Amino acid sequence: MSIDRHASFVELIRNPQKLRDAMNLLANLERLKVQVRDSNGTITVSPLLNAGRNAVIDLTFSESAIPPVIPPNPGAADLVAFWPMDEAGGNATDTAGSNILSNGSVTFVGGKIGNAALFTGGSTLSRNNASLVGLSFTGSFSFSFWLKLTSLPSGTTYPIITKFRYIGGDDRQYAITYEDDGAGGYRLNADLSGNGLTSLKRSTTITFTTGVWHHIVCTFNAGNGDVKTYINGSLAATIPGSTFVLYNGNADFIMGTLSGTGLSLQGALDMVAAFARVLSPTEVDFLYNGGTGRAP
């Protein structure tokens, strides 16, 4: 990377990329250490920018001074909805779109960042299908969220994020659930349907610790049918599939239950985001942010 030494300030302003390059160069120069030899031959270590005009310098560079690389932001262009869950009560606001979720007995408690939505005994956050904007995925999508369970599902299933109905008329589209696998373990599922009548469950074996926040990202690639699950910033499973178009049904979008089943999530959700594409590993890392979390 180089910058034209004759470039004027106006040219930098007109060229955002050149301005960013200049700022990055200055930031690195501030961190560059040099050995400065004075007229008596005495050598001292000094920042390059503090060295005198007539100083004799020997360049050294401290790698520990290099700022960490921040992975790319997923980008608002493909962010369909984002619910920070920072309310004290009432409905859950979508700060990226218009999908405000109606509160069905959900309470708000301290979360991973700010507040979180606590689900108990059939409580839900939902939006009628006719009012949804961008959440009726037929192609690739990703969901990112923080989950803290208050108990493990014993002989049952905890619905997390669903647009899926199979009781009272099949209308299946997608559902992310956590369940007892019946064999002494637990699995996180992405249940997807191409026809609304039948669905294919893609499962990742994982036992979550109750009372602890876990970051989860589920992605669906419509181009090859693959489902990927990331837990706490790391890829936990890739479940291969085949190309298909998701069914565009009329089921409501619901967090906390599976329509018509009586199943209920027992735990809290925070920082729930929906994307209309597959997130990359570096973007997942951005959202996980070393365990402290970050808004998209």
Side-chain angles (χ1 to χ4, degrees), residues 122-176:
S123 52
T124 63
L125 291 172
S126 64
R127 188 167 180 84
N128 181 276
N129 174 71
S131 303
L132 291 176
V133 178
L135 291 170
S136 294
F137 300 114
T138 56
S140 300
F141 67 81
S142 300
F143 278 100
S144 169
F145 55 93
W146 287 86
L147 171 69
K148 182 169 73 171
L149 296 176
T150 53
S151 65
L152 291 173
S154 179
T156 189
T157 298
Y158 286 171
I160 302 172
I161 297 170
T162 71
K163 193 176 185 304
F164 199 97
R165 183 178 67 241
Y166 63 87
I167 293 179
D170 284 319
D171 202 342
R172 311 182 190 190
Q173 192 164 351
Y174 59 83
I176 299 173

Side-chain angles (χ1 to χ4, degrees), residues 9 64 69 117 128 141 177 188 200 219 229 247:
F9 178 75
S64 62
V69 176
N128 181 276
F141 67 81
T177 63
L188 182 70
L200 182 61
T219 72
T229 304
Y247 176 71

Side-chain angles (χ1 to χ4, degrees), residues 17 22 26 64 88 95 107 122 132 135 152 159 198 212 239 241 244 258 266-268 282:
Q17 183 58 55
L26 288 173
S64 62
T95 61
T107 57
L132 291 176
L135 291 170
L152 291 173
T198 60
V212 175
I239 304 100
F244 75 96
L258 197 59
Q266 302 294 317
T282 51

